[in-house]
Amino acid sequence: MKELLGKLKPINIFYGENRLELQKSLHFIKDSLITKGMEAFNYSLYDCRENQLEIALSSSNELPCFSATRLVIADNVDAIKDKEGEMILEYIGNPSPSTILILIYRENPDKRTKIFKEIEKKGFTVSFDQIKQSRIPDWISAFILERKKNIKFEHAFFIAELIGNDLEKLTNELDKLLLFVGDRIDITLEDIEKIIPDIKINNIFELIDAI
């Protein structure tokens, strides 16, 4: 994430299916750039579904208060109208050097548009791609280990096969599992069966036998 922070420009596009990593990156950027207690002056979040793009661009032209940088996030840029697109192009031509403006697309943007091409040329774009299914068991194992718990690889594989590579859903299920385990270090098959919904113990053994 530190590498991402160093690549930011006055105007940026964030997009991709991996919403968990995208949100984590936004939190890291905010915590890194905005001094605690100064959020009300130097940080703004706007939703383009509520016709707030114009306000976001206006806010981006404001000077930061007792800071070198102002952070403005415009979410759901997919929802903008043609007229608002022209506003973005106008801002790209003369962005505020003291503001980091991040445009978030909920869907993958059309890279053929003038907005994307101009920001790709003058700003920074980054795609938060979903982790491949084959890497999910390792991701689960690392997630559990970071919280000072143990899980066998075949159990992580089983969870991955059942839930898939939706990291937000995986995180929710693993958090519930960790809460259930409590102070115990090792996560068992029985724990998984009790916590993850619609799971039968015979399905567990069928999947493990298939590894």
Side-chain angles (χ1 to χ4, degrees), residues 33 51-52 62 100 133 144 164 166 170-171 193 196:
L33 296 180
N51 299 315
Q52 293 182 345
E62 296 177 10
I100 299 293
Q133 182 66 30
I144 296 297
D166 184 331
L170 271 169
T171 299
E193 183 197 20
I196 298 180

Side-chain angles (χ1 to χ4, degrees), residues 2-20:
K2 290 182 180 179
E3 183 180 355
L4 174 64
L5 189 65
K7 292 180 178 180
L8 292 175
K9 302 291 183 182
I11 186 161
N12 313 266
I13 288 178
F14 283 17
Y15 66 98
E17 297 177 350
N18 194 337
R19 307 307 300 179
L20 183 66

